[in-house]
Amino acid sequence: MTRLTRCILLAVCMAFALPLHSADRTTQIVGGTDVTDLRYPWMASLFFQGEGTAFFPGCGGSLISDRWILSAAHCLIDSQTGQQLSPENVLVLLGSVDLASDSRVFTDVSRVVVHPNYNSNTLQNDLALLELAESVDFSPITLSNSTNPVPENGERATVAGWGNTAEGGNLSILLQEVDLPIVSHNACLPFYNNLSPVNNLCAGRLLSGGQDSCQGDSGGPLFVPRGNQFVQAGIVSGGLGCARAGIPGIYVRLSSYFDWISSFVSVPQVYDGSNDAEVVAIEEPLQTLSANSRVTASVAQADTVIYLTSNTDRVLLETTRGDADLFIFNSITFSDQSLVCSSLSTTAIDECLLNNTGPHYIAVAGFEESDFVLSVSVGNGNVVDVEIETLQLDTPVNRNVREGTATVYKATSGNIATLTSISGDADLAVFSRANFNSDTLICLSEELDSALDRCTYNINGPEVYVVVYGFTNASYTLAIRSAEPVVAPQSDTGTGANSDNGAGGGGGGSLSGIIIILSLLLHSLYRRNKSVPTA
Ligand code: 4AZ
């Protein structure tokens, strides 16, 4: 497969790996949106008989064959008597998103099967099957078994229901849906004693809260897209309140119950594992990159790492091994609509310029297994921290600089800057102002063959800015002189390659202060086709 094909595929995969239905929503489950059409034809509402003859909506369910509904056990147990409800006390509404619609058609239930190991104290095995009195025409949802289980931790799943739209609030007349991250067992365990990693799964917004299933959604499906179908991953079971920040909801992990379900139902649609590779799994909390910061990480081939950043002007991805590509979305529902920039360069540098508005989701996609340095900046490469060391005439400094980073110095005298790379390869640039662009660039030196970079300049203003850029991790000596000196490469200055004297160098440790992102310089370097030196 050509690189281009792969990249396009990757982009398309990313675009369609998550729910495909972000259009036509009115914002209002908790924090969900209206479902106004029959896109979820298997979605069922269970109505229960009240005191008299009237029936009231109370739980959700899903159609899994032409004759069977899957729901939660606790929906089918009378909370006062602890007895299982009889089929006559339950009606199933299918084919309507509007509980109050005049055209509602209810189907009778002929049999209720509650999981024999349902435990109302621990909420374990909280599932039940309802056999319909007659077969129905709606398409059933696909189920997964333990061979091809869904979901993956961190992937977005959708939950739909007519439950309360706030904790302690009211049911919704119109079907609601919300996308929630699947939360790992360990992240969920602190909230729930009896959680089983095999039989439960958790979903919710760990950081923000605000979106969740709630009372009345129980029994309804949590589902994930696989190719052009949805696969049911869970059943709404319970949780501590609704949409509280940091507290996920609990679901029955359906793939563990396929055999039990199959002992009653001949399940017509079983997920075969296809399109699994398209899943974009995003563990929450997402790693957030603050302005003018960078992260060094790795990504596997065909895998994607996601970061969140806000109010960023520029995102720079430098691939130090392999080949990674950059995609930026303005919403976590990745789609063509939310893609604001992609950079699929085959060189080490991918870059996106943004407009400094709102949150952006940065996806680093591994075309090959790759190591990368991802930097986000505001201010288009301006100095962001003015604590800049001033170089004294004829007083060399010995420092380290990390690959892909830059260190800025100020010089108020002299007219020649010399940079000697003792180990690795550092490059030198001089700017007239602390605003790094082609107008302010006075000199750029990027010697490959010799360890010596030299810039001669005239100080026009009160100072110049001398920038040392780490083409690789490097140790260097930087000196400012005022006349043409004879400088031999200084291979033995006493500053070992690993010495990190901490005085402002970028030697693998703190980058505080004077490290900035000089993408302009980077670009210049790479435009000149400098080959990557081997270590
Ligand atoms: C309930 O009582 C319930 N926030 C359902 C879901 C959740 C909490 C409670 C999850 O049916």
Side-chain angles (χ1 to χ4, degrees):
M1 199 180 307
T2 67
R3 175 188 171 76
L4 189 64
T5 325
R6 267 296 307 276
C7 287
I8 289 170
L9 277 182
L10 198 60
V12 169
C13 291
M14 294 196 54
F16 294 108
L18 285 163
L20 309 172
H21 40 72
S22 55
D24 70 353
R25 299 182 153 191
T26 56
T27 301
Q28 110 128 261
I29 312 174
V30 180
T33 53
D34 293 348
V35 180
T36 53
D37 56 25
L38 274 191
R39 70 186 73 176
Y40 306 135
W42 26 258
M43 189 70 211
S45 171
L46 307 192
F47 280 57
F48 302 98
Q49 190 165 21
E51 299 282 288
T53 52
F55 282 74
F56 300 95
C59 273
S62 56
L63 185 72
I64 57 166
S65 79
D66 64 349
R67 242 193 143 105
W68 287 88
I69 299 286
L70 182 63
S71 186
H74 78 261
C75 292
L76 281 308
I77 301 281
D78 185 316
S79 57
Q80 258 133 45
T81 64
Q83 296 298 304
Q84 189 173 310
L85 297 183
S86 19
E88 314 81 77
N89 299 130
V90 188
L91 288 174
V92 174
L93 177 65
L94 282 160
S96 179
V97 290
D98 178 359
L99 294 186
S101 159
D102 291 342
S103 54
R104 292 177 309 177
V105 178
F106 290 99
T107 307
D108 290 333
V109 174
S110 56
R111 184 177 171 197
V112 174
V113 185
V114 170
H115 194 284
N117 302 122
Y118 168 62
N119 182 324
S120 59
N121 296 320
T122 63
L123 267 187
Q124 283 301 294
N125 310 303
D126 188 11
L127 69 166
L129 290 164
L130 306 175
E131 189 174 14
L132 300 175
E134 57 199 76
S135 61
V136 291
D137 248 353
F138 300 103
S139 329
I141 194 168
T142 302
L143 296 186
S144 73
N145 56 24
S146 54
T147 312
N148 296 300
V150 300
E152 282 182 28
N153 278 345
E155 86 166 290
R156 260 57 187 163
T158 304
V159 58
W162 292 268
N164 293 354
T165 54
E167 188 175 330
N170 297 317
L171 296 178
S172 175
I173 297 298
L174 196 58
L175 181 62
Q176 301 290 301
E177 65 173 319
V178 71
D179 294 342
L180 298 172
I182 300 296
V183 171
S184 68
H185 178 71
N186 285 343
C188 196
L189 200 54
F191 305 103
Y192 304 112
N193 291 336
N194 298 302
L195 199 67
S196 157
V198 178
N199 296 330
N200 291 118
L201 57 88
C202 295
R205 299 256 167 224
L206 284 185
L207 287 184
S208 52
Q211 292 183 307
D212 200 1
S213 55
C214 199
Q215 209 166 15
D217 292 318
S218 285
L222 175 84
F223 47 94
V224 292
R226 290 290 185 275
N228 60 2
Q229 64 180 341
F230 291 104
V231 182
Q232 186 168 356
I235 302 171
V236 180
S237 180
L240 194 55
C242 301
R244 299 183 190 177
I247 306 185
I250 306 181
Y251 298 77
V252 176
R253 187 183 286 272
L254 257 193
S255 50
S256 298
Y257 291 95
F258 185 83
D259 292 348
W260 180 75
I261 294 169
S262 299
S263 69
F264 295 92
V265 185
S266 166
V267 176
Q269 298 202 161
V270 185
Y271 174 53
D272 63 4
S274 56
N275 303 97
D276 212 10
E278 294 179 1
V279 175
V280 176
I282 306 167
E283 286 268 11
E284 211 158 345
L286 274 178
Q287 185 170 350
T288 301
L289 297 179
S290 55
N292 300 304
S293 68
R294 60 166 51 85
V295 63
T296 302
S298 303
V299 61
Q301 181 175 28
D303 207 351
T304 309
V305 187
I306 311 285
Y307 300 91
L308 174 62
T309 186
S310 287
N311 299 333
T312 299
D313 284 321
R314 175 172 295 183
V315 178
L316 194 71
L317 174 71
E318 190 192 359
T319 308
T320 52
R321 179 179 65 93
D323 184 8
D325 294 314
L326 179 64
F327 299 84
I328 299 192
F329 298 85
N330 61 15
S331 146
I332 200 155
T333 305
F334 298 157
S335 67
D336 283 349
Q337 284 72 39
S338 61
L339 181 69
V340 294
C341 171
S342 59
S343 174
L344 310 174
S345 160
T346 48
T347 70
I349 298 296
D350 284 293
E351 184 190 32
C352 276
L353 298 177
L354 304 171
N355 59 3
N356 200 324
T357 51
H360 283 107
Y361 296 88
I362 304 173
V364 178
F367 182 72
E368 302 165 4
E369 183 178 309
S370 304
D371 298 331
F372 62 86
V373 180
L374 180 70
S375 309
V376 297
S377 63
V378 288
N380 291 316
N382 291 354
V383 172
V384 292
D385 187 322
V386 290
E387 225 183 285
I388 294 174
E389 190 176 354
T390 300
L391 297 167
Q392 305 302 324
L393 204 61
D394 297 322
T395 313
V397 294
N398 298 318
R399 300 280 188 270
N400 301 321
V401 64
R402 227 174 51 173
E403 178 171 311
T405 69
T407 305
V408 181
Y409 300 88
K410 200 155 52 174
T412 53
S413 54
N415 60 2
I416 296 169
T418 53
L419 175 77
T420 310
S421 297
I422 297 158
S423 69
D425 183 8
D427 294 315
L428 178 67
V430 178
F431 293 85
S432 60
R433 288 202 307 278
N435 188 345
F436 304 108
N437 56 45
S438 50
D439 293 337
T440 60
L441 181 67
I442 299 171
C443 166
L444 177 63
S445 171
E446 41 162 343
E447 293 295 329
L448 248 191
D449 304 336
S450 110
L452 180 67
D453 285 285
R454 181 164 39 194
C455 269
T456 306
Y457 54 88
N458 285 317
I459 293 190
N460 294 323
E463 63 217 358
V464 294
Y465 290 84
V466 179
V467 175
V468 177
Y469 171 72
F471 190 74
T472 63
N473 284 344
S475 277
Y476 62 86
T477 298
L478 175 66
I480 300 295
R481 305 185 200 280
S482 58
E484 186 73 52
V486 180
V487 184
Q490 300 168 29
S491 57
D492 185 14
T493 60
T495 305
N498 296 322
S499 85
D500 186 358
N501 55 26
S510 160
L511 296 176
S512 66
I514 55 182
I515 304 300
I516 61 155
I517 297 150
L518 271 179
S519 54
L520 188 97
L521 176 56
L522 271 170
H523 266 193
S524 165
L525 291 170
Y526 281 97
R527 234 181 277 128
R528 289 162 190 230
N529 253 342
K530 184 167 176 173
S531 59
V532 180
T534 48

